[in-house]
Amino acid sequence: MNVLSENKLWHQNSRMEETKALLLQARQEGFRSIRLNLFPAAVTDGGEDAIDAWYQSLRVLVTYGNSVGLHMIIDLHESNRCGVDASECRRLTTDFWSRTAGMFSDTRFDVSYELLNEPKGEMVSQWGALYPQLIKLVRSKDRHHSIIVGGKGYSTIWDLPPADPDQERIIYTFHYYNPMSFTHQGADWLKAHPSLAERRNIAWGSYADRTRLAIDFRSVDGWMSRNDAPLFLGEFGVFKRAPAEERVVWLSSVARMAEERGITWCLFDYEGGFGVEGLLPAIQKGTNRQP
């Protein structure tokens, strides 16, 4: 389950207890892993004291999540900032993983590291060279925990990079939101697709819809046939303004597509605009695994 995508101030004292309560609620609903959408650049202007406090809060939150039985995915979610300045992105990712991997290297932590969410914009041409360097950096600090790597751009099925057979404990991730006309209807914040803001009551679930989903996942089958490495569906979701029943149908259908291939999955998101709070039992109906 993805959390904190719309809460960059989770680390403040007044919000930490609320954030812990959110993790506990998600665990009680049946979720077993949390993908923390983190924006460390938001505190860099506050100086070293603010940065140190942020990392200490991250340690507290991860420790708490582990204590209630959650695997914590530490996801550097700075795709927008990285997309406008590749040089700044290199500095940001290097600083973040140098500190974070060292902080959680002890095997008592149940964590994995996602190097960068959706490397888009300027990072599209840079990502293929940067992520192997970040893997090497993380491994110099922590040789135990898994590293998650997505493809360039929006990390779709078709963006997956080839697996490196010489690397251990690397998980490859992709995101799935097709068709955007359904999953993002009413999304007035999506500047790249302004027409979606006006769309309402678009349904999903016809024979043609399900056929398109199956065709898309054949590309996953193709990647799996060429690569011997685990896959992770790190994001899939439907904006809340879509019809409620069809939201559940789409989410369940995508989850089953992943499960049939032995792919773990993580809904986007819990408390934000795509929020699925309370929907897990309906989504899991007919599936074989818990997230």
Side-chain angles (χ1 to χ4, degrees):
M1 171 56 59
N2 284 267
V3 301
L4 307 184
S5 64
E6 298 182 11
N7 182 7
K8 298 181 182 180
L9 302 178
W10 59 269
H11 58 284
Q12 294 183 349
N13 290 337
S14 60
R15 296 197 180 185
M16 177 59 84
E17 292 308 311
E18 295 176 8
T19 307
K20 287 182 179 179
L22 184 150
L23 296 186
L24 180 59
Q25 180 178 333
R27 183 68 188 98
Q28 290 172 339
E29 287 188 18
F31 293 100
R32 298 191 299 184
S33 61
I34 292 291
R35 183 174 179 250
L36 291 172
N37 303 160
L38 298 174
F39 302 87
V43 298
T44 55
D45 293 338
E48 287 300 318
D49 288 346
I51 295 170
D52 289 345
W54 188 91
Y55 278 99
Q56 181 58 35
S57 295
L58 177 59
R59 186 184 182 99
V60 169
L61 191 61
V62 168
T63 300
Y64 177 78
N66 286 169
S67 76
V68 298
L70 290 166
H71 172 76
M72 304 295 279
I73 300 168
I74 300 173
D75 158 45
L76 183 56
H77 213 75
E78 295 279 12
S79 52
N80 289 336
R81 183 175 290 254
C82 278
V84 298
D85 189 335
S87 297
E88 170 64 13
C89 186
R90 285 179 174 274
R91 184 201 63 76
L92 173 62
T93 54
T94 299
D95 290 351
F96 179 79
W97 289 116
S98 180
R99 186 159 184 170
T100 301
M103 186 165 62
F104 294 109
S105 61
D106 194 298
T107 55
R108 74 176 184 272
F109 292 110
D110 183 12
V111 299
S112 54
Y113 307 127
E114 184 162 347
L115 297 180
L116 180 63
N117 176 69
E118 297 185 351
K120 54 194 178 186
E122 285 196 8
M123 284 309 301
V124 168
S125 62
Q126 304 287 321
W127 185 235
L130 178 58
Y131 81 76
Q133 297 172 17
L134 294 176
I135 290 174
K136 185 176 180 179
L137 170 62
V138 171
R139 283 289 173 252
S140 72
K141 305 287 184 178
D142 181 347
R143 304 193 64 82
H144 306 293
H145 295 108
S146 293
I147 297 171
I148 300 173
V149 179
K152 63 186 179 182
Y154 288 95
S155 299
T156 71
I157 293 169
W158 303 276
D159 298 316
L160 279 165
D164 183 345
D166 296 327
Q167 294 282 358
E168 296 182 347
R169 292 181 298 284
I170 304 295
I171 300 169
Y172 293 86
T173 187
F174 66 98
H175 299 169
Y176 187 78
Y177 289 100
N178 287 353
M180 290 280 286
S181 58
F182 171 71
T183 63
H184 283 64
Q185 59 185 291
D188 49 11
W189 44 266
L190 199 62
K191 295 179 181 179
H193 301 277
S195 63
L196 294 177
E198 306 301 323
R199 299 196 178 194
R200 297 289 191 280
N201 299 316
I202 298 172
W204 189 92
S206 68
Y207 176 80
D209 291 334
R210 295 176 185 275
T211 299
R212 182 71 257 174
L213 173 62
I215 290 172
D216 285 351
F217 268 77
R218 288 177 193 167
S219 294
V220 177
D221 297 334
W223 189 93
M224 295 177 73
S225 71
R226 298 186 300 271
N227 298 274
D228 182 19
L231 275 179
F232 170 51
L233 176 52
E235 287 187 20
F236 66 111
V238 184
F239 200 54
K240 285 181 177 179
R241 290 175 182 168
E245 282 192 24
E246 281 86 349
R247 285 185 77 211
V248 172
V249 170
W250 186 91
L251 291 165
S252 299
S253 298
V254 175
R256 283 196 293 272
M257 280 287 175
E259 289 172 2
E260 288 169 1
R261 292 159 173 80
I263 299 170
T264 55
W265 49 266
C266 193
L267 292 161
F268 193 90
D269 55 1
Y270 189 66
E271 79 282 20
F274 289 75
V276 295
E277 182 178 347
L279 292 182
L280 182 60
I283 294 168
Q284 285 185 309
K285 189 175 182 180
T287 65
N288 298 318
R289 297 186 184 182
Q290 290 189 353

